[in-house]
Amino acid sequence: MAISLFDASVPVFLRGLHQLAHVLDKGLAHAKFVGIDPETLVDARLAPDMFTLAGQVRSSSDASKLGTARIAGLTAPVFADDETTYAQLQERVAKTIAWIKTVERSAIEGHEDRVVTLKIRGEELKIAAQPYLLQFS
């Protein structure tokens, strides 16, 4: 049974974002339960060489919206990357989910060979949508 490009992308991105939203909700509930100001978590890191929580959320949001946009031949929305509160992180995830849900199956389905252009370390890379999804996104 063949799997469609849409089914290999949009539902996967949405599931990951919904899981991220769930983890953020759990983190907020825990912070409130133990008396931690949730705003202190926005700039927290699990390890010194990792992104902050804000950076992790931005990265997840960007990977999902850009991945979807590129294989659909669309322009992804631009977010300011200026979230400083826990609520703003939650809102960013919600906005990303909402945008991805607007992408119609027909924009992706049957476009496995659509050319996606990436800039990597100053070099331009052109790759078809299907290998882009499976190898990069």
Side-chain angles (χ1 to χ4, degrees):
M1 175 175 105
I3 185 168
S4 74
L5 193 62
F6 182 91
D7 291 334
S9 59
V10 170
V12 176
F13 290 135
L14 289 174
R15 182 178 184 282
L17 289 166
H18 282 293
Q19 290 301 313
L20 178 56
H22 178 71
V23 168
L24 288 173
D25 290 345
K26 296 284 262 183
L28 181 60
H30 177 73
K32 288 179 179 179
F33 180 75
V34 298
I36 298 171
D37 179 1
E39 305 314 323
T40 63
L41 300 176
V42 174
D43 291 322
R45 300 171 193 267
L46 291 176
D49 63 344
M50 291 180 68
F51 286 149
T52 63
L53 177 60
Q56 298 285 349
V57 169
R58 290 175 191 138
S59 180
S60 297
S61 167
D62 287 348
S64 299
K65 69 184 169 99
L66 290 171
T68 301
R70 287 173 178 150
I71 63 173
L74 301 171
T75 301
V78 175
F79 300 150
D81 291 345
D82 61 357
E83 297 85 8
T84 58
T85 68
Y86 207 90
Q88 289 172 328
L89 295 178
Q90 292 174 303
E91 181 182 343
R92 181 174 179 132
V93 174
K95 287 190 313 188
T96 306
I97 289 169
W99 181 78
I100 290 174
K101 285 183 174 181
T102 69
V103 177
E104 296 192 19
R105 180 179 284 272
S106 62
I108 295 174
E109 210 56 57
H111 296 284
E112 292 78 10
D113 294 327
R114 174 180 280 135
V115 175
V116 172
T117 303
L118 302 172
K119 288 199 176 183
I120 301 175
R121 292 185 281 281
E123 299 286 326
E124 195 171 89
L125 172 67
K126 293 185 182 288
I127 185 169
Q130 184 174 351
Y132 165 75
L133 174 66
L134 299 176
Q135 297 170 13
F136 287 90
S137 189

